[in-house]
Amino acid sequence: MQFSKSTGNALHALIHLAHSDRGQHVGIKELSSSLGVSDSYLSKIMSKLRQDGIVRASTGASGGYELARPADRISFLDVIQVIEGRQQLYECLNANAHHHPLAEAAEWSEEEESGHPESKDCLVKKVMNGAELQMQSYLRAHTIQWVLDHASPGSIRGGNGE
Amino acid sequence: MQFSKSTGNALHALIHLAHSDRGQHVGIKELSSSLGVSDSYLSKIMSKLRQDGIVRASTGASGGYELARPADRISFLDVIQVIEGRQQLYECLNANAHHHPLAEAAEWSEEEESGHPESKDCLVKKVMNGAELQMQSYLRAHTIQWVLDHASPGSIRGGNGE
DNA sequence: CCTTTATGGATGTATAATGTCCATAATAAA
DNA sequence: TTTATTATGGACATTATACATCCATAAAGG
Ligand code: SF4
Ligand code: SF4
């Protein structure tokens, strides 16, 4: 289980965009050469980011990409979910639903009896999903802007001084 | 990015083992039929768990598997790391190391100058690894025994009453 | 000795990740 | 309007993992 390389590239591309963010459009070639990947590959990633409203794209001469909203409202979680998808990290197959009786929580059959007990009370799921939520809350709290804010001042070349 | 099914099966198998844990050995056939998977498949998983010291195995008649240590000292994290491996969730390729200058932390070149700045100060890594640590600390805090403790009492059939 | 049981190598299949190519459409600039 | 520029999305090829099975072997108990 690992994050895909595409996720890393998406993050790096967005940091680059946020960097030169004064309403300017950045072309795919500048982005891809900056990241050291091919433009055909990166364009797929950018296209996904556009479909999910993270960036805007414009065609034609002097076109390119820009952030669709301020960098402090683009969290790492947003980006990761676009690339990795939104399924849960842990999903049990129904084929697996020969589950241990032990896996059901203590308070049971008193409150609900119409649904699958699996989906709400399973303790295995509770732990695995709880772990995922921990990670997500951390990722939600860190934005693209956070990276810019904590970066070495010497590295910030553009600023706003033309 | 998802946990593999093998991870889920490993967890379920261990819960089953912990369930009938009075020093008895549980055969692969009982385990696999309980989980609804083939024995040849599950045996690979059990073998990994044995190599990492999570379970013990004994061959021969009336052989099988047992937990190698009490269930309260087998955390979800232990199990996951055996099956998924111990690499970090996020790793940047060196090919990618055309990294943004922005990605390096503010306090820099004052304390260290001998290593790759990437490996210690990169802010992208800091966020991604921080997120992983959040998840891991949660998984480390939840053990197989925790599941047994919080399960419905009615579901616990064996107990110790023969 | 013979049955039971786990082990690990070899192998095959399915699915997902990665990466490229090209035809097309949209747009700005000349 | 024409042309150069740029993103788009489908099709495709290529790995890399995950999933799954089979079989020969070894170890242990009866
Ligand atoms: S015990 Fe929980 S995780 Fe396992 S199959 Fe049942 S519902 Fe899914
Ligand atoms: S900026 Fe950080 S994550 Fe990106 S390539 Fe450099 S070290 Fe790796």
Side-chain angles (χ1 to χ4, degrees), chain B residues 33-53:
Chain B
S33 71
S34 158
L35 303 194
V37 301
S38 76
D39 49 346
S40 46
Y41 167 53
L42 189 61
S43 69
K44 299 291 192 204
I45 295 172
M46 298 309 295
S47 190
K48 266 193 176 178
L49 291 172
R50 186 191 63 85
Q51 286 167 21
D52 273 65

Side-chain angles (χ1 to χ4, degrees), chain B residues 45-85:
Chain B
I45 295 172
M46 298 309 295
S47 190
K48 266 193 176 178
L49 291 172
R50 186 191 63 85
Q51 286 167 21
D52 273 65
I54 307 288
V55 302
R56 268 191 299 264
S58 35
T59 61
S62 79
Y65 299 95
E66 62 180 337
L67 298 185
R69 54 176 189 266
D72 63 356
R73 291 201 285 119
I74 302 177
S75 71
F76 274 61
L77 182 61
D78 293 331
V79 181
I80 289 168
Q81 287 189 326
V82 169
I83 306 298
E84 305 282 346

Side-chain angles (χ1 to χ4, degrees), chain A residues 90 92-93 96-100 103 118-119 122-125, chain B residues 12:
Chain A
Y90 178 77
C92 67
L93 295 315
N96 234 8
H98 304 181
H99 52 271
H100 275 261
E118 324 166 0
S119 41
C122 166
L123 293 168
V124 178
K125 281 185 179 177
Chain B
H12 285 74

Side-chain angles (χ1 to χ4, degrees), chain A residues 6 28 38-51 65 82-83:
Chain A
S6 295
I28 191 72
S38 76
D39 49 346
S40 46
Y41 166 54
L42 189 62
S43 70
K44 298 291 191 207
I45 295 172
M46 297 311 294
S47 190
K48 265 193 176 178
L49 290 172
R50 186 191 63 86
Q51 285 168 21
Y65 300 96
V82 169
I83 307 296

Side-chain angles (χ1 to χ4, degrees), chain A residues 5 8-9 12 31-38 41, chain B residues 90-100 116 118 125:
Chain A
K5 294 183 203 170
N9 284 320
H12 285 74
L31 281 176
S32 61
S33 72
S34 158
L35 302 194
V37 301
S38 76
Y41 166 54
Chain B
Y90 179 77
E91 285 175 345
C92 66
L93 294 317
N94 262 7
N96 234 8
H98 305 181
H99 51 272
H100 273 261
H116 298 271
E118 323 168 1
K125 281 185 180 178

Side-chain angles (χ1 to χ4, degrees), chain A residues 96-115:
Chain A
N96 234 8
H98 304 181
H99 52 271
H100 275 261
L102 277 184
E104 281 150 35
E107 66 279 12
W108 172 79
S109 81
E110 299 183 3
E111 301 177 333
E112 301 274 354
E113 51 177 300
S114 58

